[in-house]
Amino acid sequence: MRVLNPDRRPLVAGNWKMHTTPQSGVELARAIVRAGPPDGVDLVLCPPAIAVTDVARAVVGTSIRVGAQNMHWLDSGAFTGEISAPMLAGVAEVVIVGHSERRADFGETDEMVNGKLEAALAAGLTPIVCVGETESVRDAGGAQALITAQVEAALAGIGSTAAEPLVMAYEPVWAIGTGRTASPAQAAEAIGWAREALSDALDAAAAQRTRILYGGSVSPSNARDLLTQDGVDGALVGGASLKADDFIAIARSAVS
Ligand code: 13P
């Protein structure tokens, strides 16, 4: 199984959410290629499922990789509307698992996240597992406990070797799509909690090699402050990833 990057090279992923058609997705991917992906950072585009194949074709021959935003935990079956890890594996290299919008809006539980992670790893995909607290949990002082519980639950029964390609993303729910970013210190602290939980769930070496991204209203203007924090290994970008120049500016911040 190929690890995208064993040295925690920065990774910047664009989560396009439910935006773009196959055609406009290809145009956006081409614009991102034209804008000039910087060296030294892994760039991942995660279009809607229907655009994954076309966007993957559009970036062939570049260093950009393509991922999906979600998948089912089983390989096949009577699950109308779903796609599975083996289906994705022929087209994509990455998949986002456990995004807070899936957890909050589609009833995705920790157990489902665990099953999806296991299936993604078995299919040779690089999973980006999302964790993060709501504002009320943070206000009540429960952020660390929740992040720890989410990491533990996601990794239950998964060994350190199997989890080698794992990427995680700390996305505080209160910062997603709100224009309110976690402060660089808050992001670094929470990512530290997630890494500690990873060390307990897997082992210290796995925690050290796993890239943990920050997500939540990342923009060209705040990216540098966030991405230069110790332990912040890149960004999972929503809104700003839909503009080629903004996305590339964020990627540049990760390496300059
Ligand atoms: P925004 O960058 O739009 O806040 O979205 C973040 C996110 O949810 C990425 O997965």
Side-chain angles (χ1 to χ4, degrees), residues 13-15 17 96 99-101 130 171 175-179 215-219 236-241:
N15 175 5
K17 305 194 181 183
I96 298 171
H99 191 281
S100 66
E101 286 154 13
C130 303
E171 297 207 310
I176 294 177
T178 60
S217 297
V218 176
S219 70
L236 182 53
V237 187
S241 72

Short mmCIF file of all heavy atoms in Angstrom, two decimals, residues 13-15 17 96 99-101 130 171 175-179 215-219 236-241, ligand 1:
data_model
loop_
_atom_site.label_atom_id
_atom_site.label_comp_id
_atom_site.label_asym_id
_atom_site.label_seq_id
_atom_site.Cartn_x
_atom_site.Cartn_y
_atom_site.Cartn_z
N ALA A 13 -5.99 19.81 0.81
CA ALA A 13 -7.07 19.15 0.08
C ALA A 13 -8.25 20.10 -0.06
O ALA A 13 -8.58 20.83 0.88
CB ALA A 13 -7.50 17.88 0.82
N GLY A 14 -8.85 20.08 -1.22
CA GLY A 14 -10.05 20.88 -1.47
C GLY A 14 -11.28 19.99 -1.39
O GLY A 14 -11.37 19.00 -2.13
N ASN A 15 -12.18 20.31 -0.49
CA ASN A 15 -13.45 19.60 -0.40
C ASN A 15 -14.49 20.46 -1.10
O ASN A 15 -14.93 21.47 -0.57
CB ASN A 15 -13.82 19.39 1.08
CG ASN A 15 -15.18 18.75 1.26
OD1 ASN A 15 -15.83 18.37 0.28
ND2 ASN A 15 -15.63 18.64 2.50
N LYS A 17 -17.46 19.82 -1.75
CA LYS A 17 -18.82 19.60 -1.23
C LYS A 17 -19.80 19.42 -2.41
O LYS A 17 -19.40 18.87 -3.44
CB LYS A 17 -19.21 20.73 -0.28
CG LYS A 17 -18.16 20.87 0.86
CD LYS A 17 -18.58 21.70 2.01
CE LYS A 17 -17.45 21.76 3.03
NZ LYS A 17 -17.81 22.52 4.23
N ILE A 96 -12.49 11.31 1.82
CA ILE A 96 -12.79 11.96 3.09
C ILE A 96 -13.77 11.06 3.86
O ILE A 96 -14.74 10.57 3.28
CB ILE A 96 -13.42 13.35 2.86
CG1 ILE A 96 -12.44 14.27 2.11
CG2 ILE A 96 -13.86 13.98 4.18
CD1 ILE A 96 -13.06 15.60 1.64
N HIS A 99 -16.75 13.41 7.69
CA HIS A 99 -16.89 14.88 7.71
C HIS A 99 -18.06 15.25 8.63
O HIS A 99 -19.07 14.56 8.68
CB HIS A 99 -17.12 15.39 6.30
CG HIS A 99 -17.01 16.88 6.21
ND1 HIS A 99 -18.03 17.72 6.60
CD2 HIS A 99 -15.99 17.68 5.83
CE1 HIS A 99 -17.64 18.98 6.44
NE2 HIS A 99 -16.40 18.99 5.97
N SER A 100 -17.94 16.38 9.31
CA SER A 100 -18.98 16.75 10.28
C SER A 100 -20.34 16.96 9.62
O SER A 100 -21.38 16.76 10.25
CB SER A 100 -18.58 18.00 11.06
OG SER A 100 -18.53 19.10 10.19
N GLU A 101 -20.34 17.33 8.34
CA GLU A 101 -21.64 17.48 7.65
C GLU A 101 -22.29 16.11 7.46
O GLU A 101 -23.51 15.98 7.51
CB GLU A 101 -21.44 18.21 6.31
CG GLU A 101 -21.18 19.69 6.54
CD GLU A 101 -20.39 20.39 5.45
OE1 GLU A 101 -20.21 19.82 4.35
OE2 GLU A 101 -19.93 21.52 5.71
N CYS A 130 -12.10 12.98 9.49
CA CYS A 130 -12.38 14.28 10.11
C CYS A 130 -12.90 14.12 11.53
O CYS A 130 -13.75 13.27 11.80
CB CYS A 130 -13.43 15.03 9.31
SG CYS A 130 -12.98 15.27 7.59
N GLU A 171 -11.45 19.62 12.20
CA GLU A 171 -12.34 20.65 11.67
C GLU A 171 -13.36 21.02 12.74
O GLU A 171 -14.38 20.32 12.89
CB GLU A 171 -13.09 20.12 10.43
CG GLU A 171 -12.18 19.79 9.27
CD GLU A 171 -12.91 19.91 7.93
OE1 GLU A 171 -14.01 19.35 7.79
OE2 GLU A 171 -12.38 20.59 7.06
N ALA A 175 -16.31 26.45 12.96
CA ALA A 175 -15.48 27.21 12.01
C ALA A 175 -15.77 26.85 10.56
O ALA A 175 -15.22 27.47 9.65
CB ALA A 175 -14.00 26.97 12.32
N ILE A 176 -16.64 25.86 10.34
CA ILE A 176 -16.87 25.39 8.97
C ILE A 176 -17.91 26.27 8.28
O ILE A 176 -19.05 26.37 8.73
CB ILE A 176 -17.33 23.91 8.96
CG1 ILE A 176 -16.20 23.01 9.48
CG2 ILE A 176 -17.77 23.49 7.57
CD1 ILE A 176 -16.57 21.55 9.58
N GLY A 177 -17.48 26.92 7.22
CA GLY A 177 -18.39 27.72 6.42
C GLY A 177 -18.91 28.96 7.13
O GLY A 177 -19.87 29.59 6.69
N THR A 178 -18.29 29.33 8.22
CA THR A 178 -18.78 30.45 9.03
C THR A 178 -17.93 31.70 8.88
O THR A 178 -18.33 32.77 9.32
CB THR A 178 -18.78 30.08 10.52
OG1 THR A 178 -17.42 29.76 10.90
CG2 THR A 178 -19.67 28.88 10.80
N GLY A 179 -16.73 31.55 8.31
CA GLY A 179 -15.80 32.67 8.27
C GLY A 179 -15.09 32.87 9.60
O GLY A 179 -14.23 33.73 9.73
N GLY A 215 -9.06 22.31 9.22
CA GLY A 215 -10.11 22.75 8.30
C GLY A 215 -11.12 23.61 9.01
O GLY A 215 -11.43 23.39 10.19
N GLY A 216 -11.63 24.60 8.30
CA GLY A 216 -12.64 25.50 8.88
C GLY A 216 -12.32 26.92 8.50
O GLY A 216 -11.47 27.55 9.13
N SER A 217 -12.97 27.41 7.41
CA SER A 217 -12.80 28.80 6.95
C SER A 217 -11.35 29.16 6.66
O SER A 217 -10.92 30.29 6.93
CB SER A 217 -13.42 29.78 7.96
OG SER A 217 -14.81 29.57 8.05
N VAL A 218 -10.59 28.19 6.12
CA VAL A 218 -9.22 28.52 5.69
C VAL A 218 -9.29 29.38 4.43
O VAL A 218 -10.07 29.09 3.52
CB VAL A 218 -8.40 27.24 5.42
CG1 VAL A 218 -7.00 27.59 4.89
CG2 VAL A 218 -8.29 26.39 6.68
N SER A 219 -8.51 30.44 4.41
CA SER A 219 -8.51 31.36 3.27
C SER A 219 -7.06 31.77 2.98
O SER A 219 -6.17 31.54 3.81
CB SER A 219 -9.35 32.60 3.61
OG SER A 219 -8.67 33.36 4.59
N LEU A 236 -7.65 21.28 5.08
CA LEU A 236 -8.80 20.77 4.34
C LEU A 236 -9.70 21.99 4.10
O LEU A 236 -10.21 22.58 5.04
CB LEU A 236 -9.52 19.68 5.15
CG LEU A 236 -10.72 19.00 4.49
CD1 LEU A 236 -10.39 18.44 3.12
CD2 LEU A 236 -11.24 17.86 5.39
N VAL A 237 -9.80 22.36 2.84
CA VAL A 237 -10.38 23.65 2.47
C VAL A 237 -11.73 23.45 1.79
O VAL A 237 -11.84 22.66 0.85
CB VAL A 237 -9.42 24.39 1.49
CG1 VAL A 237 -9.93 25.80 1.23
CG2 VAL A 237 -7.99 24.41 2.04
N GLY A 238 -12.74 24.17 2.27
CA GLY A 238 -14.05 24.10 1.63
C GLY A 238 -14.21 25.22 0.62
O GLY A 238 -13.69 25.16 -0.50
N GLY A 239 -14.90 26.28 1.02
CA GLY A 239 -15.26 27.38 0.12
C GLY A 239 -14.11 27.89 -0.74
O GLY A 239 -14.27 28.08 -1.95
N ALA A 240 -12.96 28.11 -0.11
CA ALA A 240 -11.84 28.72 -0.85
C ALA A 240 -11.23 27.75 -1.87
O ALA A 240 -10.46 28.18 -2.74
CB ALA A 240 -10.77 29.21 0.12
N SER A 241 -11.59 26.47 -1.80
CA SER A 241 -11.03 25.53 -2.77
C SER A 241 -11.76 25.60 -4.11
O SER A 241 -11.36 24.98 -5.09
CB SER A 241 -11.05 24.09 -2.23
OG SER A 241 -12.37 23.59 -2.20
P1 13P B 1 -14.91 25.88 4.72
O1 13P B 1 -13.47 26.04 4.32
O2 13P B 1 -15.87 26.35 3.68
O3 13P B 1 -15.16 26.46 6.09
O4 13P B 1 -15.19 24.31 4.85
C1 13P B 1 -14.31 23.54 5.59
C2 13P B 1 -14.63 22.12 5.39
O5 13P B 1 -15.65 21.64 5.84
C3 13P B 1 -13.69 21.31 4.59
O6 13P B 1 -13.99 19.96 4.69
#
